[in-house]
Structure formats: structure tokens, C-alpha cells
Amino acid sequence: LAQKYDPQRERELRTWIESTTGRRIGDNFMDGLKDGVILCELINKLQPGSVPKVNEPVQNWHKLENIGNFLRAITRYGVKPHDIFEANDLFENTNHTQVQSTLIALASQAKTKGNNVGLGVKYAEKQQRRFHPEKLREGRNIIGLQMGTNKFASQQGMTAYGTRRHLYDPKLGTDQPLDQATISLQMGTNKGASQAGMTAPGTKRQIFEPALGMEHCDTMTIGLQMGSNKGASQTGMTVYGLPRQVYDPKYC
């Protein structure tokens, strides 16, 4: 923080404060402001009556009260709270850079209010505009540039909503699609394909290898994957639904 302190700004502030208050600060700039008397006189010159009572610097609490009165006065004068230093920044020499920034902000506020100040910047004045309600309603019919623009845009070649747009490459020798019944290459092609050997939808297609000696299968043949009834007999089977008695002849 000490490295950010600007000696040139200190000289400008010294000249402005001494010329405004008519009092000499002293050799050490910050020590001359520590009692708060010159600061209170400065804000009273800029806005009379800001600090009604300035304490004589007899004790420390007198000095701190003067600094606190000065800070409250410049807040009412228009200096932003984030630009104002704390009382201990000056009284305990903890942050002279912030004290300097506050005095520059005060000078800028004084320049904005029309005072002849040789440092700081003049703040921009608020320009509030009021538009008639009818003029505001007319603005709703205008599409702002933030929503994009349709300049240089064209719907040439666009099809109806919901229909597909055919894309083709003349280099490939494909025919130009003329109607919606044409299937584009993006949807695939059936050229070179055949439906030979295809069965009806829903039926299975038997696949076999002649080199393995497999016989042609039909829908009436039960494959071995489904089991086999060879060697099985229905001897002793009862009518469906009746229980089948199982017993051991040794005990009968």
C-alpha cells in the first residue's frame, strides 16, 4: 500500500487544501491532517455547516471525533462509501494511500459541483430521460439488432414446413430429386440390393451351410435346438389334467 502512494498527488492536494482553507498543513502532510481540524474546515468551505462543531485537538478522542465528523460530512456531500477511508487509516498511519484516494475523490466531487479545483476528474452528470407511453409501445414493433437481422437472408429453395430437403452431389452423377418421392443419399440407397430369398414379414429365415451337409429346413421341422422327441414314449400317460401316481413297487 505504501508503494502506491503518489508524492505528486500529495503536492497537488496540499496546494488545494491550503488555498481553500487558508491554513498551512505543515511539513508532514499526513501528520498535519491527523487531528481532523483542517479536514473539517475543508468540508465546511465546500459545503458550509457540514461540521457544526470542530473540537480542539486536546485529547485523542477529540481528534478521532473530528475525523469521524469529516467522514460523515463527505458522505453527505456525495463521495461514494467505497472511496472513503477509515479513521484509523489516518490516525494510526495504517493506510495513507486510502486517505489520499479519499481526498482525490472529494476533489473530484467538488469539481463536479462547480468548484475551481485543479485536480481530480469531473463526474458525469446523470441524464434521465422520460419517454411517452405511446412512444414506448411503438418500440415493441421494432426488432432490435440483439435479436439478429434477416438482411441478406433468403428462403430460396426452402420446402414446406415438415418436409425434408433433398441434398445431392452433381459430381456423383446422381439424379436431381424432382419431387418428395425421391429418396436422397442421406437416407441411404437400395441400388445393388435384392430381396431374393426374403420371406414374408414376421416369418423366420432359415440359414444353413451346404458345405457342412446341413439339410434345408422348413417351418414344419423341429430343430435340435428345440430338443428332440426321439426315444420318448407316452406309455402310461394319463389324460391331461389328471394327477400321475408315482410309487415304488418295493413298498406296495
Side-chain angles (χ1 to χ4, degrees):
L1 294 175
Q3 292 177 356
K4 295 181 180 179
Y5 192 84
D6 191 347
Q8 177 62 30
R9 290 294 187 183
E10 177 185 310
R11 290 189 289 269
E12 295 175 357
L13 288 171
R14 177 190 293 271
T15 302
W16 173 57
I17 295 174
E18 290 181 347
S19 62
T20 303
T21 60
R23 299 187 56 172
R24 187 174 181 275
I25 296 177
D27 295 336
N28 192 304
F29 182 74
M30 289 297 168
D31 288 343
L33 302 178
K34 188 177 295 186
D35 57 8
V37 175
I38 296 180
L39 295 178
C40 291
E41 293 183 359
L42 174 63
I43 189 60
N44 281 336
K45 291 290 185 179
L46 298 176
Q47 187 172 354
S50 297
V51 182
K53 180 183 178 181
V54 181
N55 298 316
E56 292 295 330
V58 179
Q59 297 181 359
N60 289 338
W61 69 269
H62 291 133
K63 302 176 183 179
L64 287 173
E65 186 175 1
N66 288 337
I67 297 175
N69 292 334
F70 166 76
L71 297 179
R72 286 187 291 271
I74 65 175
T75 302
R76 295 190 299 268
Y77 189 68
V79 180
K80 303 301 180 182
H82 60 268
D83 291 330
I84 298 178
F85 65 89
E86 299 288 339
N88 289 332
D89 293 339
L90 175 60
F91 188 75
E92 297 183 359
N93 300 321
T94 57
N95 193 349
H96 287 170
T97 302
Q98 185 61 37
V99 177
Q100 187 181 76
S101 299
T102 301
L103 294 176
I104 294 175
L106 177 60
S108 300
Q109 190 67 29
K111 178 181 289 188
T112 304
K113 292 181 179 293
N115 293 274
N116 186 15
V117 183
L119 72 159
V121 294
K122 183 179 180 180
Y123 295 134
E125 298 180 359
K126 183 178 180 181
Q127 299 291 336
Q128 187 173 2
R129 295 177 174 85
R130 297 183 180 275
F131 296 95
H132 197 273
E134 295 182 357
K135 182 66 65 175
L136 295 175
R137 285 193 293 268
E138 291 178 1
R140 298 177 181 177
N141 300 324
I142 300 176
I143 300 176
L145 293 179
Q146 288 182 334
M147 301 179 183
T149 175
N150 60 354
K151 292 184 178 181
F152 311 111
S154 173
Q155 290 184 340
Q156 182 179 3
M158 296 298 293
T159 56
Y161 290 103
T163 57
R164 60 178 181 264
R165 187 176 183 185
H166 297 290
L167 303 178
Y168 66 95
D169 190 348
K171 298 179 181 179
L172 300 178
T174 58
D175 296 331
Q176 180 178 354
L178 301 177
D179 51 33
Q180 302 299 331
T182 305
I183 300 177
S184 63
L185 291 181
Q186 286 184 337
M187 301 179 184
T189 176
N190 59 356
K191 293 183 177 181
S194 173
Q195 291 184 340
M198 295 297 294
T199 57
T203 59
K204 61 189 177 187
R205 185 176 182 184
Q206 303 295 339
I207 301 176
F208 62 93
E209 178 59 56
L212 300 177
M214 301 174 60
E215 298 180 354
H216 290 273
C217 300
D218 53 35
T219 57
M220 300 302 296
T221 304
I222 300 177
L224 293 180
Q225 288 182 335
M226 301 180 183
S228 172
N229 60 355
K230 294 182 178 181
S233 173
Q234 291 184 340
T235 303
M237 294 298 293
T238 58
V239 181
Y240 290 104
L242 295 180
R244 185 176 183 185
Q245 302 295 334
V246 180
Y247 65 95
D248 192 340
K250 298 178 180 180
Y251 302 100
C252 295

